[in-house]
Amino acid sequence: MSLSPFVPTPKLDDYRERFKDHFKLERRADGVLLAQAHTLGGSIQLSVENHRALGQLFKTIGADPENELLILTGSGEHFMAALDPDGFALERENLQHWAYEYAYKDGRINVSALVNDLEIPTIGLLNGPGFHTEIVLMCDISLAAQGATIFDLHYDIGSVPADGIHNCFQELLGVKRAAYALLTGQAITAEQALEWGMVNEVVPRDELIARSYAIADHIMTQPRTVRRLTTQIVRRPWKQRIVNDLDGGFGIQMFGHVAKKKAVHGEGHIRSTVDYVREGRENNFD
Amino acid sequence: MSLSPFVPTPKLDDYRERFKDHFKLERRADGVLLAQAHTLGGSIQLSVENHRALGQLFKTIGADPENELLILTGSGEHFMAALDPDGFALERENLQHWAYEYAYKDGRINVSALVNDLEIPTIGLLNGPGFHTEIVLMCDISLAAQGATIFDLHYDIGSVPADGIHNCFQELLGVKRAAYALLTGQAITAEQALEWGMVNEVVPRDELIARSYAIADHIMTQPRTVRRLTTQIVRRPWKQRIVNDLDGGFGIQMFGHVAKKKAVHGEGHIRSTVDYVREGRENNFD
Amino acid sequence: MSLSPFVPTPKLDDYRERFKDHFKLERRADGVLLAQAHTLGGSIQLSVENHRALGQLFKTIGADPENELLILTGSGEHFMAALDPDGFALERENLQHWAYEYAYKDGRINVSALVNDLEIPTIGLLNGPGFHTEIVLMCDISLAAQGATIFDLHYDIGSVPADGIHNCFQELLGVKRAAYALLTGQAITAEQALEWGMVNEVVPRDELIARSYAIADHIMTQPRTVRRLTTQIVRRPWKQRIVNDLDGGFGIQMFGHVAKKKAVHGEGHIRSTVDYVREGRENNFD
Amino acid sequence: MSLSPFVPTPKLDDYRERFKDHFKLERRADGVLLAQAHTLGGSIQLSVENHRALGQLFKTIGADPENELLILTGSGEHFMAALDPDGFALERENLQHWAYEYAYKDGRINVSALVNDLEIPTIGLLNGPGFHTEIVLMCDISLAAQGATIFDLHYDIGSVPADGIHNCFQELLGVKRAAYALLTGQAITAEQALEWGMVNEVVPRDELIARSYAIADHIMTQPRTVRRLTTQIVRRPWKQRIVNDLDGGFGIQMFGHVAKKKAVHGEGHIRSTVDYVREGRENNFD
Amino acid sequence: MSLSPFVPTPKLDDYRERFKDHFKLERRADGVLLAQAHTLGGSIQLSVENHRALGQLFKTIGADPENELLILTGSGEHFMAALDPDGFALERENLQHWAYEYAYKDGRINVSALVNDLEIPTIGLLNGPGFHTEIVLMCDISLAAQGATIFDLHYDIGSVPADGIHNCFQELLGVKRAAYALLTGQAITAEQALEWGMVNEVVPRDELIARSYAIADHIMTQPRTVRRLTTQIVRRPWKQRIVNDLDGGFGIQMFGHVAKKKAVHGEGHIRSTVDYVREGRENNFD
Amino acid sequence: MSLSPFVPTPKLDDYRERFKDHFKLERRADGVLLAQAHTLGGSIQLSVENHRALGQLFKTIGADPENELLILTGSGEHFMAALDPDGFALERENLQHWAYEYAYKDGRINVSALVNDLEIPTIGLLNGPGFHTEIVLMCDISLAAQGATIFDLHYDIGSVPADGIHNCFQELLGVKRAAYALLTGQAITAEQALEWGMVNEVVPRDELIARSYAIADHIMTQPRTVRRLTTQIVRRPWKQRIVNDLDGGFGIQMFGHVAKKKAVHGEGHIRSTVDYVREGRENNFD
């Protein structure tokens, strides 16, 4: 016996409870874990709290050796289309403090944890229209619901788009389409996203989880080591991308944000900014 | 007051005049600058003089803090489909001298200045068929006129395609399509370019400038700092690409060029080489 | 006269004979070399012997200054759809020995030799369905026969896909589509491959060689130096890709392979694994 | 108030207890945390348990926003010069299982967590001779005790040196000195390490912690945001290095390890291998 | 004759006058240009005006084809050891405005122009103690005066060191020594800098310019093309470094700066911060 | 038995004879191969023939699986300090033809083959003063004879230094010292090279081979797979360096060379250029 014992790893029963306000967690006997992000059981309403919880969850899942594959999705009709009405009070109260503690630090951890803390394959499900779609698009495999749209609202709310969405769009769309999407707020339909290689499949929204289980079943046919080593191979471009461009890009975003001396995450502000998406238009100027 | 004064920056009234033989410059009150390259008021006829003027213009625009967004295009029906009849006399007279002073030096500056000297967003308009399209395709956003075609003629005139066009094609098309386009002189239609992600929109030629103003209007809705910092984010892949591959690639091109001991920019030579484009064919061998 | 003579370079008459069990070699007077890989005159049946012969051939062709362009293809209806029944006896006998000597060493040389040992342009012809398609897809220009399909079977036979196929798919498909193709064994049709930019043209199988000669004829219109220098330009992304990701990726694959303590290249195993391709299905789970 | 609460972050009182068999943790009121790795209170004796605990600790420290600077060191006269006698029983019992679960997975997490999970400045103290010195040498600032020596024993125990030590030596020594040190087991004295830029200062062993507090005091003179953002700047080369070379290199190491079909972490084996270090010699062959 | 004339290039007589408040410019008949930065004829006292003038000068020199080699230095006993008393009034008046217009924009241009706008070889002379030494250390060849010291004061005035000084230190010192120098304000003597490879020679201060002319004479023995092409070769690592790390790093610096909501360039503040340098100490805490 | 046989690999008895005019080859029973480059049995006198033979040898050694470690050195008192009097007749006769066929093609193959074609560890011995020292300095381990000096003469003969020597100097010396050495022709003594990390050991010339065998003996204590996989780890930075900078750099060199329209490899020209080395001076201008 070794002179010192193992430090225990997290147990699902514990962390399912700890994260229950933000995620519904279900794990099959074979280790396939489904994480459904939600706010009060419905679609995500972004707040500093659930923003931080995301990276915390990824790190916890990654530390539990009993997880074998992660399926990640939102809840309800939208992936993320609204803010928690008081979710950014901290930004309004102290922009400078918020900027490092809740935006720069937590935001980089979210992206880094998805890519660096999970040894296991990941399948992201875009269940509906949303921003911050990098979270499901940077999974190894991504499926979108029919009717989902991908768009980035940063520029239109006066923020430099560089908190990971730029990594995601530049990796998946290339420099030309990414620049246009980021500068114009282009709403990209699921079908267009499929054609452009942003997602792997488009399925009806109510079949999304079943389809992801079918793919998971296939992946689970191979042994643990093969699954996990293959994951390192297929995910490597994401690891390289975020090392090269996340810390600095996000610094540029925060510089611009703090220099404006005003909060941008007003709930109404966001809502009106993305009206065009709800109306099925490609941007807010055509 | 500081001990020493600012060194003055360029004024539009001055440089509009200085560049008038090569560019028609118009600036809106909000700083949106339209630069239309021309030769004698019509489509560009390439010469060592206007080749050099391009980088000089970019550096001058970049040095003037009153410019806020650049729209760059050619004039007339073609983007660049002909040579100034005497535009490469210097090449014929002294190939070796021309190779460094007018080709290698000026050519690298053109590409580098577009990417490195302009802090502001750029919109490139491909107004018609042409070579050296990297100049508008390496802008942040690119629009093409219906009927425009993109092709590279270097290989077919016996020159190694590596003066920036390779950066452009490899970045936008990937290695496989770029190799084919560069080796076969493939004429890529505006519609194909849109599908392949080389341009963001295709519009009728006479609506090109209006459309670019509409996009510019949208970009101008955000403050100066947001616009300029976002530019650094969306343009970063171009900066990386040219650092990695421009100096050396261009050196290889010039090596091949000088080793042949003959000028390739004969006006008739070019014209006959690109006949297939005029005839609407994809290359000169099918 | 120099004090010491040149060391002779290989002669086609010699190496055509030496490689005749694996490749049929024909060279035109202008140096265009057609290499048709075969097993007993028909489609390739993979073995450790012909696996090794590939890199040996590339290095020999590269060392002969009389070769000017390589057209590489398989034979018969399939590109590579079966194993030599006893072709992997060495793997079964001594997995660990095989792993370095025949898999890791030879496999890396195959990919590296294609990219690094040939100064001349290469055209790869995918003559039918197959695995190890990276060999023709990593040529400078690639054509596929109608009815050919591209798929990777590594994951489905319990092997980490990282012997060069990952370089190929990630370079040509991007991270998202590559992850899906590698994890699900997706059979990509020639038409889909064309749309996604994996191949440059799709032609009927019996026109494949003629078409490649037509392209070769065009490439041969330019002088030797221009052809060869242009090759360095258009191939550079492949050189960078394999330096970054081949040695390490392949090490991960072999780690997974040896850790399983069993051979995966059973002839029947492969056959049953790829039944879905023969049946025209996209994968083995739908 | 936001609709959902924060998920709690770790508390020192909890994790100090949880990690007490592997680390002695002390935190000053200003957040400067001293972590002294130990085995039974003395110098580290490596085992799979404390190997895993290292990454677990880094991730826990990184998740606690009350930590502001980490000082990391070993205990006693050696940094790490012995194995826990039964510390690698798992390797002997099932080499293949150990290779992924305890070596490849945990080992990569250790290095990645040091670099990616800690937003705060780190000071590593090499308290005596040791292997696995990358853990203190890859801190932002590194101090060595007089009499400490740095050496890598992987090659001499028949293992490919690529679990992070190669990243460390190649970054700090350059390719030439790193190759020699890794291939010959060169014992590098503290003074030599200082001259070569592997460490920043050499001090008597009993002054090591005091000196690190003096440097920490200086770093703590600046505000939290400045400290943490500066950390991202000075640490960036490590982030890039491990993304490029850790996953693949470690895969190569494990491939070689598993292919040998025997455990290398025999306690006596290690001891005899490093006798030369104890004897003050540079390697075991001079 | 071409259809359009050349746009004129700058003439020394004009720009010598234009920059005279910031630089004393002298050019030999062979094109070797000596630029001595000064404030009122003495050592540089940093202000937003001369900060901006630096990049303006580099771009002007680069645009004049009659320049063949640049020798760049300061004036008097210090390279840069003081601020213009009112030189940062703009920062105090409007931190946010200053941050982009005068710090982020001008500062990046300074570094980029040195590396990207000058085709000609550069020799930097560190004439005495100073901060912002990257300007002479990032020249192709660098000489230091005996008694000169190199140090960075950013961290000690509460600013993240990332305006180019981090590029310079990380390139020349490596990650370990750079982290220490940036975090502790380490004053590096000329002799230490020589040993560490930051400068190429150390000579008495009054022999600095003569020595640089001797080296320039040697460089000028070769033809213009050889000199300028060699410059591209030897400077390439700097080009790569700044593309990778300048825009983002500087964004992080500005984020930290603006988040503090206070100016840091107080003249007295700087003076007291660097007292230790004047006193010949290595840092302000020993 | 497989359906097709192995293609035979080279046999030492054959290639020892084939290369005997350029290299003396001796192999121990354990596979340690000593290759001594020579001209007529004495120090190398560079010619297009032996320049080409180097890469041919590397590729042949790499193709023979019985080689286990390469020791590479020159002969006599100099490593390479003279030209074969008629060794560059081909350059004089047809500069353009020579430039691609013998300089660009063969020169790149030499460097690439050393790094990419040899799976085995390499030890380079610098037996005396010389140029083209990259060949021994880019081996995994390098030893220098007392009295050897390293210098590059390209710039002083009017050639851009970029045929691999720039890769070597920039990797081993960093950007600052490399620029100086390349621009000034600096003769670096063996002792200086040791201090700067260009070589691993300096020993008397007549002990060089014995010392290399002692190191080889140590390396040979580990199994074939460990040796060869470790080689991939320690050599990786060289592979990356040459992919990034060799093809393009060499193209720039050749561009400059051909643009001058004159041969530079005159035997007397070289001799007079390097007189300063023979005289023990650091360069030709002090």
Side-chain angles (χ1 to χ4, degrees), chain C residues 59-90:
Chain C
K59 286 184 181 287
T60 304
I61 292 172
D64 176 0
E66 295 181 35
N67 293 314
E68 294 295 0
L69 188 150
L70 172 66
I71 300 171
L72 178 70
T73 186
S75 300
E77 292 192 13
H78 301 100
F79 174 68
M80 187 189 299
L83 297 190
D84 178 330
D86 286 319
F88 285 81
L90 284 165

Side-chain angles (χ1 to χ4, degrees), chain F residues 26 44 53 91 127 133 144 152 187 192 197 224 229 252 267 283:
Chain F
E26 298 173 59
I44 305 165
E91 183 193 11
N127 59 301
T133 54
D152 183 57
Q192 182 68 89
R224 174 172 164 107
L229 294 180
I252 292 172
E267 194 262 340
N283 55 51

Side-chain angles (χ1 to χ4, degrees), chain C residues 6 11 19 40 52-53 66 91 94 130 145 147 162 178 194 202 211 214 226-227 242 252 273 275:
Chain C
F6 279 115
K11 294 294 167 193
F19 284 97
L40 305 179
R52 173 172 289 177
E66 295 181 35
E91 183 194 12
N94 187 337
L194 182 65
V202 175
R211 179 60 184 165
V226 172
R227 290 191 309 262
I242 65 167
I252 292 172
T273 301
D275 274 349

